[in-house]
Amino acid sequence: SSVTDHAVVQATLSGDGTPTGTVTFFICDPTQTTGGACPTGGTQVGTPVTTQAVSPATTPPSSFADSIAITANMTGTWCFRAVYTPGGANGSNYTGSGDARPSECFLVTDTTTSSSTQTWVPNDSASVSSDHNAPLPAGSTLSLQLYVGGSCTALGTLTGPAYASPSADGTQTTLSVSSNNLTAVSAGTSVEWVATYSGGPNVSPSSHCESSSWTVTQP
């Protein structure tokens, strides 16, 4: 936030003319304030500003000055201090003064935004059987492999190890395998599981791919 300070210098009595001179502004950030104000120290804001007469004229007479803008770039209490130095046409009629009251302070707060991204851990299972109930060749296996971010026509990134069934012993007509994947993927990412049967004597190899995706709309 950009913040400015406005100072008014008013005479105690009438008859000495408009208070002339300059006002020097200071700003204390939340690490520099003392007792909830800026009585000393801080950082000078620009150069001293020449006062101008308040219009319409006041009784007693008064003048004003405005600081340049400062950027409040941290949360907490900030405080201005304005110091009037007499000078100019009527300067000899006045003494200096300043204002560092707590009313010169302002509080900077901030807001927060929360977001979340869900993940999920995909797993799969597969089986292979001979079409005519013949035993699967000994030593043949069925494996599962996970890919992320593609489709079955264009596989994504190879992810994790292959999960393989025990080798066939020559008497089984079916082999089965299940994954034990612990790798999480972001919601909204497609995954592909590819099941591959190694085949063997008199039995052809085969493979099967399935692709799935899960989209979560964050409220």
Side-chain angles (χ1 to χ4, degrees):
S1 298
S2 294
V3 186
T4 60
D5 195 24
H6 176 74
V8 176
V9 182
Q10 186 167 33
T12 302
L13 301 173
S14 299
D16 291 320
T18 301
T20 55
T22 60
V23 175
T24 304
F25 295 92
F26 298 86
I27 187 69
C28 285
D29 67 32
T31 69
Q32 298 170 318
T33 57
T34 302
C38 185
T40 59
T43 302
Q44 183 172 319
V45 179
T47 57
V49 181
T50 300
T51 60
Q52 302 178 57
V54 171
S55 180
T58 62
T59 303
S62 58
S63 60
F64 74 93
D66 292 314
S67 75
I68 62 173
I70 62 97
T71 299
N73 57 4
M74 68 175 72
T75 58
T77 298
W78 294 67
C79 299
F80 276 104
R81 181 173 75 257
V83 178
Y84 167 61
T85 301
N90 299 325
S92 61
N93 298 332
Y94 293 99
T95 58
S97 61
D99 186 8
R101 294 170 296 173
S103 58
E104 283 288 278
C105 300
F106 58 94
L107 178 64
V108 176
T109 61
D110 201 356
T111 57
T112 59
T113 301
S114 298
S115 63
S116 64
T117 301
Q118 296 190 42
T119 59
W120 55 298
V121 179
N123 277 284
D124 199 11
S125 60
S127 63
V128 62
S129 300
S130 59
D131 288 338
H132 299 92
N133 209 33
L136 299 174
S140 60
T141 59
L142 175 66
S143 65
L144 275 174
Q145 182 68 65
L146 174 64
Y147 297 82
V148 174
S151 66
C152 281
T153 56
L155 294 177
T157 302
L158 178 65
T159 303
Y163 303 95
S165 68
S167 298
D169 61 10
T171 64
Q172 301 132 298
T173 58
T174 300
L175 288 177
S176 297
V177 63
S178 295
S179 66
N180 185 29
N181 175 52
L182 299 177
T183 301
V185 299
S186 298
T189 301
S190 62
V191 300
E192 307 83 53
W193 282 103
V194 177
T196 302
Y197 172 61
S198 62
N202 303 318
V203 178
S204 62
S206 63
S207 67
H208 174 75
C209 176
E210 59 180 4
S211 179
S212 61
S213 63
W214 179 41
T215 301
V216 175
T217 301
Q218 306 291 350

